[in-house]
Amino acid sequence: MLESVENLIELQKIDNRIAELENYLNEIPDELKNLKNEKERLAVQYEELETRLNSLKTERNELETSSAEKNKLLDNAQKKLTTVKNNKEYEAVLKELDTLKKEIYEEELKVLELNDEIEANEKDFKACSEKKEQVDKQYEELITKRDEENVSHRQELEELREKRKEAVKNVKKQILSKYEMIRKARNNLAIVRVENETCTGCYMKVPPQLYVEVKKEHAIQQCPNCQRFLYFYENAEQEQTAKS
């Protein structure tokens, strides 16, 4: 086999493994995707529940403050009853007392309703908080586990990148330029076997004369359809030896 072809095959093997490792490292497992989605959903729910709970408590505090102030006014109004000098003043104080009592009653009733709503929201918030903490922990544990598992893959990837730097030195610049252009255009695959007059890259028949030229191994040849470089193995044993 031509040395230039052997060098391209070796480079292609390195590029195949690099692509495989990069895809694996960049791909997010379904379990991790699902946990991430659940983590984000719970974070939104947690924030919404917390905002709602704080809003309810603020409203309750405002009502309690208002009710306390009106109770003071009620006490003052009741004291006025002993100091009124005529019926007109007496009726005015009674009207004030009635208004204050009604407003206090309505506010205290609203406070009771808010207490029930706050209690229900606190239960929901607690459940969400516990679930969020659980999912956050699972997510971080899975991330850590994946990072630990990927240490060897990253190490191999770095070694392959260094190996590739040496491998390209064995390929002529003109051929390397074509190889890189084809590889980028053809899904990382730039050199393929020709078998039974068929390119195994695009699975199109090659001209009979070209097939003969590839088998002669006098010069490197390209598929006229996909432009990939072509090589030929006489038998499976020879191919297996080259792959190893």
Side-chain angles (χ1 to χ4, degrees), residues 15 24-25 35 91 98 103 114 123 156 159 161 178 183 206:
D15 284 333
Y24 176 83
L25 290 170
L35 267 179
E91 289 175 0
D98 288 342
E103 290 177 354
L114 284 171
K123 289 179 181 178
E156 182 184 357
E159 290 172 355
R161 285 170 176 164
K178 285 184 179 180
R183 188 170 68 88
V206 300

Side-chain angles (χ1 to χ4, degrees), residues 9 19 41 48 51 72 110 224 232:
I9 291 174
R41 185 190 69 79
E48 290 175 348
T51 300
K72 289 180 182 178
K110 181 62 177 175
F232 175 79

Side-chain angles (χ1 to χ4, degrees), residues 22-67:
E22 286 177 340
N23 288 337
Y24 176 83
L25 290 170
N26 292 330
E27 184 181 4
I28 302 176
D30 288 340
E31 183 181 5
L32 192 57
K33 284 181 185 177
N34 294 336
L35 267 179
K36 184 180 179 182
N37 291 337
E38 180 69 358
K39 182 177 184 292
E40 292 172 350
R41 185 190 69 79
L42 286 169
V44 172
Q45 184 182 24
Y46 178 91
E47 186 176 347
E48 290 175 348
L49 286 170
E50 185 178 38
T51 300
R52 175 61 179 161
L53 190 57
N54 289 336
S55 176
L56 289 171
K57 287 180 176 179
T58 298
E59 185 180 358
R60 181 181 64 180
N61 290 339
E62 290 173 352
L63 284 170
E64 287 175 340
T65 299
S66 175
S67 183

Side-chain angles (χ1 to χ4, degrees), residues 167-179:
V168 297
K169 294 177 182 178
N170 299 323
V171 181
K172 292 180 181 180
K173 288 184 179 180
Q174 185 178 2
I175 295 176
L176 180 62
S177 178
K178 285 184 179 180
Y179 170 86

Side-chain angles (χ1 to χ4, degrees), residues 82-97:
T82 60
T83 61
V84 294
K85 296 178 181 179
N86 53 57
N87 287 337
K88 186 177 180 179
E89 289 180 358
Y90 184 78
E91 289 175 0
V93 172
L94 285 178
K95 185 178 181 181
E96 182 183 0
L97 284 169

Side-chain angles (χ1 to χ4, degrees), residues 33-150:
K33 284 181 185 177
N34 294 336
L35 267 179
K36 184 180 179 182
N37 291 337
E38 180 69 358
K39 182 177 184 292
E40 292 172 350
R41 185 190 69 79
L42 286 169
V44 172
Q45 184 182 24
Y46 178 91
E47 186 176 347
E48 290 175 348
L49 286 170
E50 185 178 38
T51 300
R52 175 61 179 161
L53 190 57
N54 289 336
S55 176
L56 289 171
K57 287 180 176 179
T58 298
E59 185 180 358
R60 181 181 64 180
N61 290 339
E62 290 173 352
L63 284 170
E64 287 175 340
T65 299
S66 175
S67 183
E69 291 173 352
K70 286 174 181 175
N71 270 304
K72 289 180 182 178
L73 293 174
L74 184 64
D75 289 340
N76 292 333
Q78 286 174 337
K79 290 176 182 177
K80 285 182 185 178
L81 285 175
T82 60
T83 61
V84 294
K85 296 178 181 179
N86 53 57
N87 287 337
K88 186 177 180 179
E89 289 180 358
Y90 184 78
E91 289 175 0
V93 172
L94 285 178
K95 185 178 181 181
E96 182 183 0
L97 284 169
D98 288 342
T99 300
L100 287 170
K101 287 177 181 179
K102 181 180 179 181
E103 290 177 354
I104 291 170
Y105 172 78
E106 289 175 351
E107 288 179 349
E108 288 178 345
L109 186 63
K110 181 62 177 175
V111 167
L112 291 174
E113 292 174 355
L114 284 171
N115 283 338
D116 291 339
E117 193 172 354
I118 287 170
E119 184 179 355
N121 274 263
E122 281 178 335
K123 289 179 181 178
D124 292 341
F125 181 72
K126 181 181 178 182
C128 177
S129 179
E130 290 173 352
K131 182 65 176 177
K132 180 178 179 297
E133 184 178 351
Q134 178 187 355
V135 170
D136 285 348
K137 183 179 178 182
Q138 289 176 343
Y139 180 78
E140 292 305 323
E141 287 175 350
L142 196 59
I143 287 288
T144 300
K145 180 182 177 183
R146 179 172 168 79
D147 287 344
E148 289 172 352
E149 290 174 348
N150 287 345

